[in-house]
Amino acid sequence: MKLLLLGSGGREHALGWKIAQSPLIEQLYIAPGNVGTQTLGQNIAIDPCDFTALKEFCCKNEVTVVVVGPEAPLVQGVYDSFKADDSTKHITVIGPSKKGAQLEGSKEFAKAFMQKYNIPTAKYKSITQNNIEEGFEFLESLKAPYVLKADGLCAGKGVLILDSLDEAKSELQEMLSGRFGQASTTVVIEEFLSGIECSVFVLTDGIDYKILPVAKDYKRIGEGDTGLNTGGMGSISPVHFADEVFMEKVRTRIVEPTVHGIQKENIDYLGFIFVGVISVDNEPMVIEYNVRMGDPETESVMLRIKSDLVELFQGIQDGTLQDKKLVEDQRHAACVVMVSGGYPEEFKNGYEITGTESTNPDTLVFHSGTKSQGETILTNGGRVLAVSSYGKTMQEALNNSYQKAKEINFKDKYFRTDLGFDLK
Ligand code: AMP
Ligand code: GLY
């Protein structure tokens, strides 16, 4: 199989690492890829949102499967674009259609979908300038804190959690007046849910599905989950509270009705569903859907899939997903993200990175914000490297990654050393 992977982050390096191990792979291409992925296949300088160039490349190079890493091409309709063209409609795009991508691209769409299919989630109301008074009334009916979400994609910044009612009301007004541009012309107000979160990943062909290993990510920059939100400072898998009983509830109350709803709505959906789940007194509820794998969860989850991931993609391609097995690795996995000092605010690029070569077979160094200059690797982003390890326990996996993160050097490097603190 000739497979094209779209994206350029740590998530794509981890996906590529797993895909490249498959005996089914004849050739792996990554567009645009990164310093790490070039050791696994061939990086191609095409923007994942340039559908014309992608289709031309796939035809010329006999690519039969395209795996989409990030959400932007999905929300912009990469799946539909391939299907609309006679020369590319035979290609399997692992990722939902534009309609399906609305589960991530529109909070309002996702909430209405959950309500329709009785999927447990926070109470909500969808507000525009036209019914702002209803928004104020709904806020008054809720208890603090107040959750406001921009309807559209905001690179993870569109959710505000506010302590006072006055603040919530004025923020609602601000958002509707364009605080996040077009993305916040509709705002979803939600009841606040209190609990602990985990990330559940599902691979589906729209009919059958497989649940991948569960992970938990750590979003805040500071130890003890303090400070600003980031793209993700690390992840662990498995997650102890997501035990068999909890996951059976997730399967029957969330995953099955989600896949059923996708069918009922006639949505073409071959790909990953990422369900952000919160455990409220051991009852799972949905915080959000994403239509792709998570980053940095993927950098833990890929380590814990023992089966051939490409065989699952093939199952999606030929309608035999239900016959395929997904076997989990029983070891623990942990990912520690090394960032540039200053991130998620201002930081500098271009510092030399040393010590990335692997010394421990249980540890992998995935690239995210790096670039190469001759033989030298330089920092080139906020999140620089994702250091992932196996261990017999969560702490052993984390310690392996911390050890490697200490050996890797670049100016102003920073990483959290307390991951998993809330699971002990
Ligand atoms: P989202 O982009 O919808 O995942 O929201 C970002 C983060 O805000 C989530 O990961 C949660 O930690 C938090 N959050 C979102 N919605 C709620 C809610 N209804 N109750 C409590 N926390 C929430
Ligand atoms: N780790 C959360 C995300 O990928 O959105």
Side-chain angles (χ1 to χ4, degrees):
M1 178 191 297
K2 292 177 180 161
L3 186 150
L4 171 65
L5 172 63
L6 304 185
S8 61
R11 167 181 50 209
E12 286 74 25
H13 189 179
L15 279 166
W17 169 78
K18 183 66 190 161
I19 289 167
Q21 291 172 44
S22 170
L24 296 169
I25 290 291
E26 217 178 304
Q27 176 70 48
L28 169 64
Y29 299 106
I30 313 98
N34 65 28
V35 176
T37 60
Q38 74 196 8
T39 63
L40 304 168
Q42 194 180 332
N43 284 352
I44 307 296
I46 301 178
D47 182 326
C49 289
D50 183 348
F51 303 159
T52 309
L54 290 177
K55 289 193 285 188
E56 225 174 77
F57 178 84
C58 288
C59 290
K60 215 185 255 170
N61 295 282
E62 298 171 331
V63 168
T64 55
V65 175
V66 177
V67 177
V68 187
E71 63 277 16
L74 294 167
V75 173
Q76 289 175 36
V78 66
Y79 174 92
D80 312 70
S81 176
F82 271 74
K83 291 303 140 192
D85 211 321
D86 276 343
S87 60
T88 52
K89 65 179 179 208
H90 65 284
I91 298 173
T92 304
V93 177
I94 304 289
S97 60
K98 192 170 182 174
K99 189 172 171 191
Q102 290 299 291
L103 284 175
E104 174 163 0
S106 165
K107 301 276 187 202
E108 184 185 30
F109 179 91
K111 293 299 280 190
F113 177 92
M114 286 185 257
Q115 194 170 50
K116 184 165 177 187
Y117 293 99
N118 269 322
I119 296 163
T121 188
K123 273 196 302 192
Y124 82 106
K125 214 166 199 62
S126 181
I127 301 296
T128 65
Q129 281 291 8
N130 297 331
N131 64 345
I132 191 164
E133 288 302 326
E134 264 182 65
F136 293 150
E137 272 168 42
F138 186 60
L139 282 170
E140 281 160 20
S141 76
L142 298 172
K143 283 198 226 91
Y146 304 91
V147 183
L148 302 180
K149 299 185 175 182
D151 175 56
L153 288 185
C154 288
K157 296 191 172 72
V159 176
L160 300 181
I161 298 182
L162 304 155
D163 287 326
S164 88
L165 183 59
D166 285 344
E167 224 183 334
K169 285 181 176 174
S170 79
E171 280 296 348
L172 174 62
Q173 243 157 350
E174 287 261 321
M175 285 172 88
L176 292 173
S177 329
R179 184 195 234 278
F180 298 102
Q182 276 296 104
S184 67
T185 49
T186 299
V187 172
V188 168
I189 304 176
E190 277 187 25
E191 160 197 29
F192 180 83
L193 299 176
S194 185
I196 186 159
E197 291 174 58
C198 63
S199 305
V200 175
F201 299 99
V202 179
L203 183 62
T204 185
D205 58 5
I207 300 164
D208 299 305
Y209 65 87
K210 301 282 171 204
I211 299 181
L212 275 49
V214 179
K216 182 172 199 319
D217 74 339
Y218 290 84
K219 290 196 177 74
R220 302 295 191 99
I221 188 74
E223 310 255 311
D225 274 344
T226 55
L228 293 173
N229 250 325
T230 71
M233 297 299 294
S235 65
I236 56 103
S237 176
V239 181
H240 73 62
F241 69 82
D243 57 13
E244 239 171 81
V245 175
F246 185 82
M247 287 311 293
E248 189 54 19
K249 292 180 190 170
V250 169
R251 197 175 67 76
T252 55
R253 298 178 196 173
I254 296 172
V255 177
E256 296 219 318
T258 299
V259 174
H260 171 76
I262 285 170
Q263 281 167 31
K264 280 279 181 199
E265 299 296 315
N266 280 319
I267 294 173
D268 280 353
Y269 203 121
L270 318 175
F272 296 104
I273 312 172
F274 165 173
V275 195
V277 170
I278 187 163
S279 169
V280 181
D281 299 326
N282 288 320
E283 304 302 328
M285 297 181 80
V286 178
I287 288 278
E288 65 164 348
Y289 287 114
N290 294 303
V291 297
R292 51 171 174 84
M293 290 296 293
D295 194 345
E297 289 96 326
T298 306
E299 292 95 311
S300 288
V301 170
M302 287 303 128
L303 274 66
R304 298 206 53 246
I305 301 178
K306 231 179 175 166
S307 327
D308 183 346
L309 184 63
V310 178
E311 226 176 83
L312 299 180
F313 295 154
Q314 204 172 47
I316 288 183
Q317 190 172 33
D318 57 22
T320 59
L321 185 62
Q322 68 171 359
D323 305 331
K324 309 286 180 193
K325 279 227 150 32
L326 192 149
V327 181
E328 290 192 2
D329 194 308
Q330 292 309 308
R331 288 174 291 177
H332 288 247
C335 160
V336 173
V337 176
M338 300 183 69
V339 305
S340 298
Y343 173 81
E345 297 183 288
E346 261 183 54
F347 59 86
K348 286 203 177 117
N349 284 327
Y351 295 129
E352 182 174 351
I353 306 170
T354 57
T356 54
E357 51 296 325
S358 186
T359 42
N360 176 349
D362 282 343
T363 297
L364 295 141
V365 179
F366 294 122
H367 287 248
S368 180
T370 65
K371 71 173 180 190
S372 59
Q373 196 173 67
E375 294 294 292
T376 312
I377 303 169
L378 304 175
T379 62
N380 192 38
R383 293 194 294 163
V384 177
L385 297 165
V387 183
S388 296
S389 303
Y390 286 104
K392 284 195 286 295
T393 60
M394 176 180 80
Q395 200 53 53
E396 188 180 291
L398 282 164
N399 289 345
N400 283 336
S401 283
Y402 294 143
Q403 181 55 41
K404 185 69 199 161
K406 281 184 203 145
E407 290 164 19
I408 294 174
N409 273 309
F410 55 87
K411 192 168 180 312
D412 298 338
K413 73 172 180 181
Y414 169 75
F415 56 94
R416 274 178 63 173
T417 58
D418 70 329
L419 303 177
F421 75 95
D422 50 350
L423 297 176
K424 283 173 189 161

